[in-house]
Amino acid sequence: DAGVIQSPRHEVTEMGQEVTLRCKPISGHNSLFWYRQTMMRGLELLIYFNNNVPIDDSGMPEDRFSAKMPNASFSTLKIQPSEPRDSAVYFCASQPSRTGELFFGEGSRLTVL
Amino acid sequence: DQQVKQNSPSLSVQEGRISILNCDYTNSMFDYFLWYKKYPAEGPTFLISISSIKDKNEDGRFTVFLNKSAKHLSLHIVPSQPGDSAVYFCAASDGGGADGLTFGKGTHLIIQP
């Protein structure tokens, strides 16, 4: 079975550019989470969806960040405009029900110059 | 304010010996605890979990201990093997994982031959 699929794996962009990260959760999983990993703060929860509906976006750092889940098999995390401090690894994870473990993708490493 | 703390950024253990990774938490509402393992350039993968109604859970070489009064949990790996070298994240939730997981910053375990 395919796991959580994220793209791109690596993204290098210049400050001010728009960045879109994509995620395909495991089929049948009802919840989807976006995390950001940095050396300073570790793994931070940015936003999560349940049945495609955003439940809590309190972890989104600024209005420059937005996330959508138009259907059960696709989600995007957009940063516009991007800044160097957004450089991090962004993980998407899905969960089969409202409880239990999360299954993570391999991450998207973003570098903003 | 870190609600889940892993105070040892790294730990070095000889192959065959016991590895003990520690984790402290501050939120008394947490009722579900997990350990994740992460290799470089990969996403975190679930290792073992424990509910607050238990104080021990064992799975092969991995055992997690929970001390609720001390708000402390630990992961024991015995015997340690070279493939165990990775970053280990402690995670916690107050709803069985329904609202995502709060992660510690991780401990880099290095198994020496």
Side-chain angles (χ1 to χ4, degrees), chain B residues 56-106:
Chain B
K56 177 183 174 181
N57 188 26
E58 192 172 350
D59 183 2
R61 296 185 298 113
F62 303 91
T63 303
V64 56
F65 295 92
L66 175 62
N67 182 335
K68 291 184 288 295
S69 61
K71 293 191 179 68
H72 177 83
L73 64 155
S74 60
L75 174 68
H76 293 211
I77 307 173
V78 56
S80 301
Q81 298 175 354
D84 297 331
S85 294
V87 177
Y88 289 78
F89 289 97
C90 173
S93 169
D94 63 359
D99 299 317
L101 303 175
T102 301
F103 284 85
K105 290 188 178 182

Side-chain angles (χ1 to χ4, degrees), chain B residues 38-66:
Chain B
K38 184 183 181 303
Y39 292 120
E42 295 184 9
T45 55
F46 170 74
L47 192 56
I48 193 169
S49 64
I50 188 167
S51 163
S52 60
I53 63 173
K54 294 186 174 182
D55 55 18
K56 177 183 174 181
N57 188 26
E58 192 172 350
D59 183 2
R61 296 185 298 113
F62 303 91
T63 303
V64 56
F65 295 92
L66 175 62

